[in-house]
Amino acid sequence: MHHGIGYPIYNQFLWWFDQSVRRVDLENLRDNLSDGLLARRVAASAVPTARERWVNSPVSHSLDFHCDSIDPAEVRVWAEGRLGPDIDPETGLGWRLSAVPLTDGGTVVSLVASHMVADGGALVAAFRSANSNTEQLRLTPGEQGLAAVGSDVLDAMGQLRSAAAWLLDTAVSALPTRSRSGPPAVTPRSAPNRSAAPTDPAGDAEWTSPYAVAEVDAAEWKATADSWGGTSNSLFIAVLTAASGHAGRASIGDTVQWSLPVSDRSEGDTRSNATKIVKVEVPVTDAADLDLSPIRKISKSAFTAFAERQAAGRAPAGISQALVQMLPDAVVARIPQPRDGAEGLASNLGVLPDDFITVAGVRARAVSGRASFAGADADFARTLDGGLTAWACETDATVTLTVHAMDPDRFPDDRALRDHLSEALSRWELSVRFW
């Protein structure tokens, strides 16, 4: 994504504090972050076909502290401005901590990192480690000199074996032989019935992925999930499904697929990315159907099946990651992006721990998390055929749904996205405050 496709992905957390957070405390937090899990840069391999590797980074961006207050209505625009090409894992400057005071006396803090440097789980782990008095979680120093070359040789051999095995399996599976027994053919999923949405070439030139943050009272959210036989996660998926249906990306009676990220991170894990994906098939129902128990059952079944596949050591389907890693950027850029059939991504981080939502004794009212494609245009979004990418974060006071839309025809701007989310939330009579 970073070079070959040309659209880097940034992960960003925003903390909304109703009180002021002192600059000196944020400077201390930045110093701790620069000595922890995020302090890494990409080092080129000395051996062809071996992967690039992480090494410790001695440099980091200084605290981006804005002295001038902004109006609370400008928070999302300010947050967008924290993303930029100077956040670059190849230079070691792969993340940035920023803060801005609000005119009402509050403070908003932003932590942005290249997705290469950290997935959502790694960002949470890095922040908690830097924000507490516990021992810092750090990247293990890599090999140097001949040891590094030896490591690259071993990695190159492993990558070649992996790619060769994938190519062989692909070739064998394509052979028309009657004697080979195997699993029955899988019936292709039916595509959702989408509304007609004419493209607007003039609008395409101005389009950027719409971005909305919907804040709901946590007690109201939990009570609603409980009263309709669901959980916070099933309500989250239901709201996204309803928003997609309302936008015309699916019709009543269709089934849409959501990708649910699952963290594979363990205690003390220093990997930059440790996320697996579970797919769930969710029916699109009419506005009178508020029952969440079917989604709850569907999700439980999907997670159970995923755990069984993991235990059996079955690799995920798709093109070999090792092969893609070996290809030159110019070749990767010409490979059509795979369409996995998912309507979008629903990443639920659940109830965030105290040492993640509190800084220097000041507790955040709300926390927003998101993943954003940098520079993605309308044509690229259409190649993905995706709808919504959403994160849910819970504090004791609020639940935030942070949503990006990747359908320029049915989500042409922020207002359209907010309207569809409002309609979906009102289905369960949830009141919402948009950032």
Side-chain angles (χ1 to χ4, degrees):
M1 295 305 302
H2 196 79
H3 277 309
I5 307 303
Y7 296 109
I9 302 177
Y10 296 113
N11 287 334
Q12 181 180 41
F13 278 107
L14 295 173
W15 290 258
W16 191 309
F17 299 91
D18 287 334
Q19 297 83 35
S20 176
V21 180
R22 297 188 308 166
R23 179 170 184 166
V24 64
D25 293 319
L26 293 171
E27 291 280 10
N28 182 62
L29 178 60
R30 189 218 72 93
D31 291 345
N32 289 343
L33 285 167
S34 66
D35 193 34
L37 188 60
L38 304 183
R40 59 176 73 203
R41 68 173 178 84
V42 176
S45 166
V47 179
T49 74
R51 292 170 292 179
E52 295 171 324
R53 60 183 179 275
W54 291 116
V55 296
N56 290 287
S57 172
V59 297
S60 58
H61 283 293
S62 59
L63 175 68
D64 176 24
F65 190 90
H66 292 231
C67 296
D68 295 332
S69 300
I70 65 170
D71 188 274
E74 299 173 350
V75 166
R76 283 187 311 107
V77 175
W78 176 82
E80 282 283 276
R82 300 318 99 208
L83 311 182
D86 61 338
I87 300 177
D88 185 354
E90 289 185 298
T91 63
L93 302 173
W95 61 277
R96 177 192 284 121
L97 184 70
S98 309
V100 64
L102 302 178
T103 53
D104 63 4
T107 305
V108 172
V109 174
S110 162
L111 177 60
V112 177
S114 162
H115 205 318
M116 286 178 63
V117 170
D119 60 12
L123 268 181
V124 171
F127 189 92
R128 294 183 67 190
S129 179
N131 194 38
S132 66
N133 293 321
T134 58
E135 184 179 353
Q136 276 278 65
L137 188 61
R138 293 182 177 88
L139 182 66
T140 303
E143 297 91 347
Q144 301 292 325
L146 290 176
V149 174
S151 176
D152 285 346
V153 169
L154 291 175
D155 189 71
M157 293 170 60
Q159 292 289 96
L160 288 168
R161 279 196 300 267
S162 177
W166 179 83
L167 289 169
L168 179 61
D169 288 346
T170 302
V172 170
S173 64
L175 293 175
T177 173
R178 295 180 181 179
S179 61
R180 188 178 69 249
S181 61
V186 178
T187 303
R189 296 178 60 251
S190 299
N193 296 299
R194 293 177 181 164
S195 65
T199 60
D200 177 10
D204 280 1
E206 301 294 328
W207 187 88
T208 58
S209 176
Y211 164 38
V213 183
E215 185 179 320
V216 180
D217 178 79
E220 183 183 357
W221 178 270
K222 185 178 186 304
T224 300
D226 290 343
S227 63
W228 293 108
T231 61
S232 176
N233 198 51
S234 51
L235 178 55
F236 176 41
I237 297 169
V239 167
L240 295 180
T241 303
S244 284
H246 191 260
R249 284 189 54 83
S251 302
I252 296 172
D254 288 342
T255 298
V256 295
Q257 186 182 85
W258 292 100
S259 297
L260 310 183
V262 178
S263 178
D264 193 34
R265 193 168 298 279
S266 57
E267 187 72 23
D269 201 327
T270 61
R271 287 177 293 173
S272 60
N273 281 255
T275 301
K276 308 293 186 188
I277 295 294
V278 174
K279 300 291 185 69
V280 294
E281 304 278 351
V282 180
V284 180
T285 59
D286 61 53
D289 184 1
L290 306 179
D291 187 9
L292 300 174
S293 59
I295 297 179
R296 186 176 187 174
K297 293 175 183 175
I298 290 167
S299 300
K300 182 177 181 180
S301 176
F303 284 121
T304 300
F306 170 80
E308 292 174 349
R309 289 194 302 274
Q310 287 286 98
R314 278 176 281 177
I319 190 170
S320 164
Q321 294 291 313
L323 180 60
V324 172
Q325 194 79 15
M326 294 177 195
L327 297 175
D329 292 340
V331 175
V332 175
R334 289 170 171 77
I335 298 176
Q337 288 299 292
R339 297 186 179 189
D340 63 1
E343 175 61 15
L345 179 136
S347 180
N348 191 345
L349 295 181
V351 179
L352 299 169
D354 285 348
D355 56 2
F356 187 75
I357 62 177
T358 304
V359 174
V362 183
R363 193 175 185 84
R365 186 196 72 236
V367 178
S368 162
R370 64 166 176 153
S372 176
F373 281 101
D377 58 18
D379 289 339
F380 175 71
R382 290 192 186 100
T383 66
L384 298 180
D385 195 34
L388 302 175
T389 297
W391 288 25
C393 297
E394 300 182 41
T395 67
D396 49 0
T398 64
V399 174
T400 58
L401 309 184
T402 306
V403 186
H404 270 277
M406 295 297 287
D407 182 339
D409 304 313
R410 295 170 186 83
F411 296 99
D413 51 36
D414 291 353
R415 177 173 291 278
L417 176 58
R418 287 196 301 269
D419 287 347
H420 294 315
L421 281 174
S422 293
E423 184 74 15
L425 289 162
S426 66
R427 175 168 165 176
W428 282 271
E429 299 182 350
L430 290 164
S431 55
V432 60
R433 172 199 175 208
F434 283 101
W435 289 18

